[in-house]
Amino acid sequence: MKHRYLASLLLAATPAAVSAQTAGPASNPVSELVVVAASPLPGSNLERDKAPVETYVVTARDISRTGPPDLLNALNQQVGGVNLDSAAGNPYQPTLFYHGFEASPLQGTSEGLAVYANGVRLNQSFGDTVNWDLIPNLAIDRLTVEGSNPVFGLNALGGSLNVQLKTGFTYQGGEADLSGGSFGQVQGDVQYGAKVGNTALYVAISGLHEDGWRDLQSSDIQSLYGDLGWRGERAEAHLNVTLANSVLNGPGTSPVELLAADPAAQFTAPNKVSNRFAQISGSGGYQLSPTTSVQGVVYYDNFRQLVVNGNSANDTPCDDGSGLLCGDSGPSTTLGGATIPAFLGDSPFAYSELDDQTTNTDGYGVSAQVVNTDKLFGLTNHAVLGASYDGAQTDFSGISFIGGITAVSREFVGPGVVIDEPGDNVPVHVGVTDNYYGVFGSDTLNLTPELSVTASARYNVADIDLKDMNGGDLTGAHSYSRFNPAIGLAYKAASWVTLYGGYAEANRAPTPAELSCASPADSCSLANFFVGDPDLKQVVAHTFEAGAHGGFQPFAGATLSYNLALYRTDLDNDILFVNSVTQGRAFFTNVGRTRRQGVDAGARLVTDRWQAYVDYAHTDATYRTSFVESGGSNPAADGDGNLAIQTGNKLPGIPADQVKLGFDIKATERLTLGAMAVGQSGTFLFGDEANLTPKLPGFFVLNFYGSYQVTHNLQVFGRIENVADTRYYTYGTFSPTDSVFLSQAPTASNPRSYSPAAPIGGFGGVRFTF
């Protein structure tokens, strides 16, 4: 593929999209694209054959292959080493794993991937979380998945995801999609791009509603993205606006005996997350000379989140006949220290707890870099030098209520009584100031036309200040810094093969959420109600990686491409959210060393009329340091209620083996048909870090899709997901079945708790282009 370096910050390496993003062989497989990002800022693109790390590039066509644009499903179905789980039980709130590292919207997750869009960091400052529902899928032009590279800053322990959004220079024309189907799903998408002279405009608007396939499961998502651009002979500038709103109800996990009685049942409710996001950013680039350019980004955003989480009660009637409620430390108290009477009687099953939290974050930042391609010692060279600053002001508050519970759906009944129990569960209000600084550089020197060496590094500084607005002991200042180097080689041994290998270091600083919940005595729920705690150590990754990729023509009119990658990443001072002795609560702690190592292998065959692909990934994720944690509701805990995790035990939730298959064919000039399948082996349950109970079962799921081009401007499309109606689960843990009465399964005693995936579903729609 021909490519060139532009002065623009927003370099686009794919052709302008002026027609429907149709599924079919015309779309290149993701491993075929030959440019990757040398830094988070666009404009520093490097030939893939020069990059010493594993890379995948997913295009707008790949994201829309089976219907409306869906980034997460495209990654899950088409990129080796990626898998999704759904702890929240909502399809738009998954945790994404790549090589065993996570990018998740859920607090309590150890975030090991850095995520960017148009050069702006998407990991939220409060917990490094990634809210996938806020990314405008329709506006994505391309996304690069890359192995560990310190240039991508904090959280790039296992790699990075770098999203490039469309502009009026890369997309001209218009498109309107309307689709719907099973589970009450209705979706509409409209995009339009135009270029007039030196200026260009792009707008994308999307809306989705889905009722879901489980009780109290629903999703409502709306987004708007706009780009106004100007391009001159030597300069380019863009103004971007992103608005997003979502209300996601996820039933979470349910005990297996409850699911056996009613597959749609949820355990406790409500479980709602409401997100609002607004961002404005400016970006630009200037060509100082034929070999030197500068790029920059400045942004401001506001993120507001409300989490409402119903749980089994920690405060139940005292057993001393006092007529009061008792918690772990004695009689339960409310505001002012007053005791709480057992106002619903003496049955512990009459009570439930509601945890509310609100997060309001103002984020802002600026990044700049210089790219130079002057020769060095007479050799071709590509150098990048840059700096970044990301800041945030966060106002967080949390409060818990004790109230009643409905008999069948197990929903909290309010208004409830505020719980205020010092040392256990208190209302909190904390202000957080984050300042993250980075200086980075990368240099790729071609020792010969075939052999290149890349050296890169980044110095990270993280300053985190917490102020307890209620006058408690949350106030504290924390600072972290580290220099992370990397070096690698890439060798194009023949026209059909490139070999590469390298070593990289990366780090992540403890988040405000982790720093404020870091001791067994002062644990917190997933709603993150904090107490003052000591510093945690920063997590440091050491990665070795080697592999090969290439392609050739096995016969006329066909291209076979392939990739093979081996990697090992050792983490020092890994931070995990481990069980507390208090039911339903946990705390963050450094657990020592962990390791993720494995192999990815894939091949794709593309002809003019059909294509097929296969990807296999093996991931071995283990603890390398022994430690002890509370067993929570795990029935395999020892007599003291603890689990002893040993060196070599597997990390939960990470499948050892995955396989992905796909095939589509242009059956006629108008009709395209295809199929995709994903299979993965079983995983240990979260809460079974000692690997003492059976694994969550593995699964194999098959999907069909197709499209028919009615006219040049009108297309109909459809898909069937989970064709065999396989009952499978993507996440498992343990729930306290003895603390909540299950009317559908009154004798339930098994604490194993799963998050069911969707049953068979049919979807269809129409796409109009102009």
Side-chain angles (χ1 to χ4, degrees):
M1 177 183 295
K2 294 182 179 179
H3 64 280
R4 60 194 178 102
Y5 297 107
L6 299 180
S8 168
L9 170 70
L10 300 176
L11 183 145
T14 54
V18 296
S19 61
Q21 302 291 339
T22 57
S27 172
N28 289 326
V30 292
S31 61
E32 287 273 293
L33 298 176
V34 296
V35 291
V36 296
S39 81
L41 294 176
S44 60
N45 283 11
L46 184 71
E47 292 183 38
R48 182 171 183 254
D49 286 340
K50 306 296 183 184
V53 295
E54 182 179 20
T55 57
Y56 292 91
V57 179
V58 180
T59 68
R61 188 181 295 272
D62 297 312
I63 294 170
S64 300
R65 183 179 303 278
T66 64
D70 191 332
L71 171 63
L72 291 169
N73 272 336
L75 291 170
N76 189 45
Q77 295 174 348
Q78 301 178 51
V79 175
V82 171
N83 69 285
L84 305 177
D85 78 20
S86 185
N90 185 288
Y92 305 99
Q93 283 181 291
T95 295
L96 180 144
F97 288 82
Y98 176 60
H99 290 172
F101 292 91
E102 299 167 80
S104 173
L106 303 180
Q107 298 285 1
T109 302
S110 182
E111 307 283 349
L113 298 172
V115 183
Y116 291 84
N118 280 359
V120 177
R121 179 176 161 88
L122 293 186
N123 297 81
Q124 289 293 327
S125 62
F126 188 60
D128 290 341
T129 54
V130 179
N131 293 283
W132 302 107
D133 53 301
L134 304 182
I135 299 176
N137 283 219
L138 180 64
I140 295 174
D141 185 44
R142 66 197 299 260
L143 173 140
T144 304
V145 181
E146 183 174 326
S148 184
N149 182 345
V151 172
F152 283 82
L154 296 172
N155 300 96
L157 306 178
S160 62
L161 285 76
N162 197 11
V163 178
Q164 185 66 54
L165 300 174
K166 297 171 184 175
T167 75
F169 294 119
T170 63
Y171 182 101
Q172 289 100 47
E175 177 182 314
D177 300 356
L178 181 63
S179 61
S182 297
F183 321 126
Q185 186 187 99
V186 179
Q187 181 171 352
D189 301 284
V190 178
Q191 62 178 331
Y192 177 76
K195 183 173 82 74
V196 180
N198 290 342
T199 61
L201 173 70
Y202 175 80
V203 177
I205 302 174
S206 297
L208 177 143
H209 170 79
E210 183 175 297
D211 294 329
W213 58 89
R214 295 180 62 193
D215 294 342
L216 304 180
Q217 180 190 53
S218 64
S219 305
D220 288 281
I221 304 174
Q222 304 88 34
S223 69
L224 180 148
Y225 171 77
D227 177 277
L228 179 64
W230 172 86
R231 176 180 290 174
E233 183 178 347
R234 302 178 64 181
E236 184 166 348
H238 289 263
L239 178 67
N240 301 136
V241 174
T242 302
L243 301 175
N245 178 75
S246 66
V247 178
L248 306 176
N249 286 285
T253 61
S254 293
V256 292
E257 290 168 302
L258 176 60
L259 291 174
D262 181 1
Q266 50 79 42
F267 185 43
T268 57
N271 300 285
K272 182 174 74 172
V273 177
S274 302
N275 293 324
R276 289 188 178 183
F277 181 72
Q279 182 183 89
I280 183 168
S281 64
S283 58
Y286 186 77
Q287 194 79 34
L288 298 172
S289 73
T291 58
T292 304
S293 64
V294 295
Q295 296 86 31
V297 169
V298 60
Y299 72 92
Y300 166 80
D301 57 45
N302 177 258
F303 172 65
R304 297 187 180 188
Q305 183 177 75
L306 171 64
V307 178
V308 181
N309 185 220
N311 291 296
S312 59
N314 288 312
D315 299 84
T316 56
C318 304
D319 58 7
D320 59 3
S322 63
L324 301 176
L325 295 180
C326 281
D328 295 320
S329 304
S332 305
T333 56
T334 186
L335 299 174
T339 56
I340 303 176
F343 54 91
L344 294 176
D346 294 334
S347 171
F349 299 124
Y351 299 88
S352 70
E353 182 176 310
L354 186 72
D355 296 320
D356 286 356
Q357 72 173 37
T358 59
T359 306
N360 189 342
T361 299
D362 290 302
Y364 38 84
V366 59
S367 301
Q369 68 182 17
V370 179
V371 179
N372 180 267
T373 57
D374 284 327
K375 288 190 174 183
L376 183 65
F377 307 120
L379 302 174
T380 301
N381 192 62
H382 181 270
V384 179
L385 180 64
S388 67
Y389 166 74
D390 295 279
Q393 301 279 341
T394 298
D395 184 271
F396 173 88
S397 62
I399 192 168
S400 293
F401 301 87
I402 187 74
I405 188 170
T406 60
V408 178
S409 60
R410 293 165 295 282
E411 296 178 70
F412 177 85
V413 177
V417 178
V418 173
I419 301 172
D420 186 1
E421 299 169 359
D424 185 17
N425 187 348
V426 298
V428 299
H429 184 192
V430 60
V432 183
T433 300
D434 302 293
N435 291 290
Y436 301 108
Y437 308 89
V439 178
F440 59 88
S442 177
D443 189 274
T444 300
L445 180 66
N446 292 346
L447 302 177
T448 72
E450 295 81 21
L451 178 65
S452 62
V453 58
T454 297
S456 59
R458 180 172 178 127
Y459 183 69
N460 292 319
V461 176
D463 292 326
I464 304 167
D465 293 330
L466 292 85
K467 182 177 180 181
D468 195 321
M469 310 302 287
N470 290 339
D473 59 359
L474 276 171
T475 299
H478 311 266
S479 184
Y480 301 89
S481 63
R482 195 173 197 280
F483 177 79
N484 296 313
I487 190 165
L489 294 170
Y491 178 57
K492 194 170 182 62
S495 61
W496 52 273
V497 61
T498 296
L499 307 174
Y500 65 88
Y503 171 77
E505 295 183 5
N507 76 300
R508 81 171 183 90
T511 68
E514 292 169 336
L515 289 167
S516 300
C517 179
S519 76
D522 294 318
S523 56
C524 52
S525 73
L526 287 177
N528 289 305
F529 297 168
F530 305 140
V531 290
D533 284 305
D535 274 343
L536 293 167
K537 299 176 182 178
Q538 62 184 332
V539 183
V540 178
H542 308 268
T543 299
F544 291 93
E545 186 174 351
H549 58 79
F552 58 92
Q553 290 187 320
F555 52 87
T559 300
L560 177 65
S561 60
Y562 64 90
N563 65 282
L564 175 67
L566 298 94
Y567 61 91
R568 171 182 283 187
T569 301
D570 287 323
L571 297 189
D572 296 333
N573 303 315
D574 202 358
I575 298 174
L576 297 181
F577 197 52
V578 302
N579 284 327
S580 164
V581 294
T582 302
Q583 178 178 282
R585 296 184 181 271
F587 63 97
F588 297 98
T589 186
N590 293 111
V591 297
R593 297 178 65 235
T594 60
R595 172 178 294 165
R596 287 110 170 133
Q597 61 183 0
V599 58
D600 297 332
R604 286 161 171 76
L605 182 63
V606 179
T607 73
D608 292 337
R609 298 195 66 86
W610 59 272
Q611 73 167 338
Y613 68 86
V614 58
D615 279 297
Y616 169 76
H618 175 76
T619 305
D620 179 36
T622 57
Y623 297 101
R624 311 309 299 172
T625 301
S626 299
F627 64 96
V628 176
E629 68 167 332
S630 172
S633 297
N634 189 332
D638 64 21
D640 295 323
N642 294 325
L643 298 175
I645 290 80
Q646 305 295 331
T647 298
N649 284 155
K650 306 293 185 181
L651 273 69
I654 302 174
D657 299 287
Q658 300 179 64
V659 63
K660 302 178 182 184
L661 307 168
F663 175 84
D664 57 40
I665 183 170
K666 196 171 183 180
T668 71
E669 291 303 313
R670 295 176 180 268
L671 178 65
T672 298
L673 299 173
M676 291 181 178
V678 175
Q680 70 178 50
S681 60
T683 62
F684 285 104
L685 273 62
F686 287 86
D688 188 24
E689 288 74 17
N691 304 166
L692 300 176
T693 68
K695 292 181 178 180
L696 186 75
F699 59 83
F700 185 85
V701 179
L702 176 64
N703 305 320
F704 291 156
Y705 62 92
S707 64
Y708 184 79
Q709 202 70 34
V710 181
T711 69
H712 177 72
N713 301 103
L714 181 63
Q715 180 191 93
V716 295
F717 55 85
R719 69 188 188 278
I720 303 175
E721 296 184 348
N722 192 2
V723 171
D725 200 20
T726 303
R727 179 177 292 189
Y728 68 104
Y729 312 92
T730 63
Y731 180 92
T733 186
F734 300 95
S735 293
T737 52
D738 58 353
S739 65
V740 177
F741 178 72
L742 305 177
S743 60
Q744 299 94 326
T747 62
S749 60
N750 189 343
R752 293 176 69 88
S753 191
Y754 297 166
S755 179
I760 186 173
F763 308 87
V766 295
R767 174 175 291 136
F768 177 71
T769 60
F770 54 93

